[in-house]
Amino acid sequence: MAVTKAYVLEDGEVVSSKYMEQYAIKREGESNKLPTDKFDKTYNKDGLVPPLYNPEALAELLEMNTHHYRAVKTKARDVAGLGWYLEPRDGMEKPSEEQREIANSFLINPNPHMTLNEINEQVMVDFESIGYAFYEVIRNDQDAVVGLEHIPSHTMRVHQDLNRFCQIRGNKKVWFKRFGYEEDVDLKTGAVKAKGSIDANQKANEVLYIMNYTSRSDYYGIPDIIPSLGALLGERERQEYNISFFDNHAIPAYAVTVTGAELDEETERTIQKFFQQDVKKANHSTLVLTAKREDGELTSDPIEIKFQALSTDMKEASFRMFRQDNRDEILSSHGIPPYRAGITVEGQLGGSSASESTEIYKQSIIKPKQKLIENQINRYILEDGLGVTDWRFRFKEIDTRDLDKEIERMQKLFDMGVYSPNMILEKLGEEKIDNPNMDRHFVKGQPLDASNEEVNAIMNSLKQFHEKLVTIATKADDQP
């Protein structure tokens, strides 16, 4: 016996179940096919290795999900966008100021169009969203390193020898070689030739290649989002279902089941008129329906027709829970605290809890990635490229300190004679005061090993120290 289903919406519109089913997964005519790989025809021909996942598709994921996009951008900024500095290498008592000037001169202006912070952030966005990233190292005619560029990862593939890399953009193909690779590589053909045998304008530039290691490949890394692809794609389907159906047809109010007959157009119009007009005029209106059997003949036999009110509360609640579960899984795969991605979780307080979670995020997620980039810049750019061996490049870190508590702790150590004023300033990341009295130790405000004549001078010096601490605390209070 045939059973036909339809839904009556809040506006009285009648929608058959067949129509609704086409929206359960995707909209009519919309393809779920992933972007094609532009390198498909060149892998075997050029000796390139296909990545585990389509990089173009991974890049598009950033545009599909708010939480994934915010996590990637936040991690990239926290790793590489907070600034940088140079510090003497361990054990280097008198580092060369000339080398420092060489390093600063390059790092401050590595590119005529972008700062080092901007280049590093772009590299890290690729690293977080695709799983691997590239710096292009530019040399002049004298073979000296003079610049850095970011190369979009989704346009690059790795050769089997791990020494060459190919980029395709549109119809153009360009080859690169690994930084420090001794042989020359033709930038148009990728052919390897003896060093010095290719004209300067035909030689491939060098690249620094970093990847988020996976044991499944020696050639490519994978992004942190991969274990949560199901959550990310599930969230996309939830959004498309809601937008496609509810945007066009409101919310279902009743389910109509017709047993033993087809729900034809005439019957649909009768139901629609009843809910849109008759019910509004009289609450106890009677609905009389006729229907056709599958063979098309009219029948006066009783036809079983059921109207069942639908509650959307449970579906909407399930969608909200589904969305929250997807969000939590996505953020968990990135290892980022919710509030760091701009999400406030009800029932969770800030204060020390937020500070502790940020410190864990800093130590377990951010610092290892900072070390990865620092090592690349120090080893290849500063040492091999610029000959700088006395200084090393460092990223500035997220400040997770509670400055008021930090100063209070320093005050106690100062009163115990553990720290001198200049030691406190150094701990707070401030410049020392050029005064010998600031290197003295005090117990409860009294200087150790000081004559009576020196006490007044020391007290005046402490006033200068106090004023500087007030300035530091005031700046902290002014920060958002």
Side-chain angles (χ1 to χ4, degrees):
M1 183 175 290
V3 177
T4 304
K5 289 185 179 180
Y7 295 88
V8 180
L9 310 179
E10 286 185 342
D11 60 1
E13 184 75 20
V14 179
V15 182
S16 68
S17 58
K18 292 180 180 178
Y19 185 81
M20 289 199 52
E21 285 172 0
Q22 75 181 21
Y23 286 97
I25 297 178
K26 61 181 181 179
R27 286 171 284 189
E28 182 79 19
E30 179 179 330
S31 173
N32 282 339
K33 183 176 66 175
L34 294 174
T36 56
D37 190 339
K38 297 176 183 178
F39 287 80
D40 274 343
K41 298 179 181 179
T42 67
Y43 285 124
N44 294 331
K45 173 184 172 184
D46 294 330
L48 301 175
V49 180
L52 296 173
Y53 301 88
N54 187 343
E56 283 83 5
L58 293 176
E60 285 189 9
L61 292 182
L62 278 182
E63 302 171 15
M64 287 174 47
N65 186 274
T66 303
H67 308 308
H68 175 47
Y69 175 87
R70 181 50 49 205
V72 166
K73 298 290 281 188
T74 298
K75 288 165 73 178
R77 186 194 63 240
D78 288 344
V79 169
L82 302 178
W84 56 271
Y85 62 96
L86 293 173
E87 68 176 17
R89 288 191 175 272
D90 294 339
M92 189 65 62
E93 296 182 0
K94 293 182 179 181
S96 167
E97 287 300 320
E98 181 182 356
Q99 287 189 14
R100 181 176 185 176
E101 181 59 33
I102 292 173
N104 263 325
S105 178
F106 176 83
L107 296 174
I108 289 173
N109 187 29
N111 187 294
H113 307 294
M114 289 189 294
T115 66
L116 184 60
N117 279 353
E118 291 173 318
I119 295 172
N120 285 334
E121 277 199 64
Q122 290 180 6
V123 167
M124 288 310 301
V125 167
D126 277 0
F127 184 86
E128 295 295 339
S129 60
I130 297 176
Y132 58 93
F134 293 89
Y135 290 93
E136 179 183 4
V137 183
I138 302 169
R139 295 180 184 268
N140 61 16
D141 293 339
Q142 288 73 45
D143 211 32
V145 173
V146 294
L148 281 180
E149 289 271 5
H150 159 249
I151 304 177
S153 296
H154 70 276
T155 67
M156 296 282 282
R157 297 295 185 273
V158 183
H159 192 270
Q160 294 171 356
D161 61 14
L162 285 172
N163 290 318
R164 288 174 287 167
F165 306 85
C166 184
Q167 180 186 35
I168 291 181
R169 301 204 83 164
N171 296 323
K172 295 183 179 180
K173 183 188 294 185
V174 178
W175 286 83
F176 298 86
K177 69 174 187 176
R178 178 176 52 80
F179 186 90
Y181 183 50
E182 292 296 331
E183 306 298 331
D184 283 346
V185 173
D186 189 293
L187 68 86
K188 291 184 178 181
T189 66
V192 178
K193 298 184 179 181
K195 187 174 179 62
S197 62
I198 300 179
D199 291 341
N201 59 355
Q202 286 294 112
K203 286 196 302 184
N205 281 349
E206 295 165 288
V207 293
L208 298 180
Y209 177 51
I210 59 173
M211 64 180 186
N212 194 23
Y213 174 74
T214 172
S215 57
R216 293 185 58 214
S217 175
D218 292 329
Y219 299 91
Y220 298 95
I222 61 172
D224 290 343
I225 192 62
I226 289 298
S228 295
L229 276 181
L232 196 150
L233 295 176
E235 181 65 9
R236 182 193 184 191
E237 299 298 344
R238 181 198 64 80
Q239 290 174 334
E240 289 189 352
Y241 181 90
N242 284 344
I243 292 172
S244 300
F245 178 74
F246 293 115
D247 224 24
N248 292 298
H249 300 290
I251 300 174
Y254 288 89
V256 183
T257 304
V258 181
T259 305
E262 287 292 327
L263 187 64
D264 56 19
E265 292 183 2
E266 183 179 351
T267 306
E268 285 189 19
R269 285 196 298 270
T270 303
I271 296 173
Q272 181 176 340
K273 177 178 177 295
F274 176 77
F275 280 96
Q276 288 183 336
Q277 299 178 21
D278 299 341
V279 171
K280 293 180 180 178
K281 294 177 181 178
N283 291 335
H284 299 286
S285 298
T286 301
L287 174 63
V288 179
L289 297 174
T290 61
K292 292 183 177 180
R293 294 187 183 278
E294 294 180 356
D295 57 11
E297 296 181 0
L298 289 173
T299 177
S300 58
D301 295 336
I303 297 174
E304 186 178 2
I305 301 177
K306 293 183 180 180
F307 286 81
Q308 180 179 1
L310 296 179
S311 172
T312 61
D313 293 341
M314 182 61 68
K315 180 179 287 187
E316 291 176 356
S318 297
F319 273 166
R320 286 195 298 271
M321 294 172 63
F322 182 53
R323 184 181 188 186
Q324 181 175 325
D325 289 344
N326 289 336
R327 179 200 71 190
D328 292 345
E329 185 173 345
I330 290 168
L331 295 183
S332 177
S333 69
H334 279 290
I336 183 173
Y339 82 93
R340 197 83 189 167
I343 297 169
T344 302
V345 181
E346 294 183 8
Q348 291 189 5
L349 302 178
S352 61
S353 175
S355 178
E356 289 172 3
S357 63
T358 302
E359 184 63 28
I360 294 171
Y361 162 69
K362 170 184 169 181
Q363 296 295 335
S364 62
I365 303 297
I366 298 303
K367 288 191 76 172
K369 296 174 192 265
Q370 287 184 323
K371 288 289 186 185
L372 178 64
I373 304 297
E374 288 170 357
N375 290 339
Q376 292 283 320
I377 292 177
N378 285 321
R379 177 179 175 182
Y380 299 113
I381 302 300
L382 293 191
E383 290 184 31
D384 296 348
L386 301 175
V388 175
T389 56
D390 292 2
W391 300 86
R392 64 176 181 173
F393 172 90
R394 292 290 302 275
F395 282 116
K396 291 183 179 179
E397 299 178 355
I398 302 171
D399 192 350
T400 59
R401 299 173 303 171
D402 183 332
L403 199 54
D404 290 337
K405 290 184 178 180
E406 187 77 0
I407 291 176
E408 183 179 344
R409 187 176 74 88
M410 295 291 182
Q411 177 67 48
K412 291 180 180 179
L413 294 172
F414 173 75
D415 287 340
M416 295 167 59
V418 177
Y419 285 163
S420 68
N422 271 340
M423 290 173 66
I424 292 176
L425 291 174
E426 189 176 21
K427 290 288 184 182
L428 294 174
E430 300 290 330
E431 291 185 5
K432 298 179 181 180
I433 296 175
D434 188 14
N435 187 317
N437 291 319
M438 291 298 94
D439 292 316
R440 289 181 179 273
H441 291 257
F442 298 76
V443 174
K444 296 190 179 297
Q446 296 299 315
L448 300 177
D449 302 325
S451 64
N452 291 333
E453 291 79 12
E454 294 175 311
V455 170
N456 288 335
I458 292 173
M459 292 299 109
N460 289 332
S461 299
L462 284 179
K463 288 181 181 179
Q464 184 182 0
F465 172 61
H466 178 264
E467 290 172 357
K468 188 157 188 175
L469 284 182
V470 170
T471 301
I472 296 171
T474 303
K475 284 195 299 185
D477 292 337
D478 289 340
Q479 291 180 352

